[in-house]
Each structure stands twice: as structure tokens, then as C-alpha cells.
Amino acid sequence: MPTKISCQVCGADIEIPDDVLDGELVSCSSCGQKYQVTIQNGLIQLKLIKVEEEDWGE
């Protein structure tokens, strides 16, 4: 049964499949925020991935 973890940005549930691998990337289907999955001692956590914004050549 997939694990559900709340998005840190919008609060929506992110479904993490049972076969997820450590280091895999997942994203929130509601807001698009990306996360890196970390698994330690069977505990699944999501690490927020900061997306660099375009600087438009500044």
C-alpha cells in the first residue's frame, strides 16, 4: 500500500509507491514541487529540492 506524505509547500498528499528507491525523485501532483526520497531504517522522508530560478542574464 503506497505511503502518503504531505507536501511541504501546498499540503497535498504525495503518494509514495512501495517500490520507491532511496534517492529517487518524486513530485507533488498538486503544485509540482520536487522532492528526493531518503530511506533510513525503513523510514521514508522527502527532502525538498530547491529549483533555481532564472536570472535572465543578470
Side-chain angles (χ1 to χ4, degrees):
M1 188 156 121
T3 301
K4 291 185 181 182
I5 300 177
S6 294
C7 176
Q8 298 171 23
V9 175
C10 72
D13 284 339
I14 301 171
E15 287 196 14
I16 309 299
D18 292 333
D19 61 351
V20 70
L21 300 174
D22 188 47
E24 192 170 334
L25 300 180
V26 296
S27 61
C28 175
S29 60
S30 181
C31 72
Q33 177 61 50
K34 294 185 182 200
Y35 295 91
Q36 181 177 20
V37 175
T38 57
I39 303 173
Q40 292 181 333
N41 299 325
L43 180 64
I44 297 173
Q45 295 182 323
L46 299 181
K47 180 181 175 186
L48 188 72
I49 295 176
K50 291 187 179 183
V51 178
E52 301 221 3
E53 295 181 17
E54 177 62 51
D55 65 2
W56 302 103
E58 295 177 8

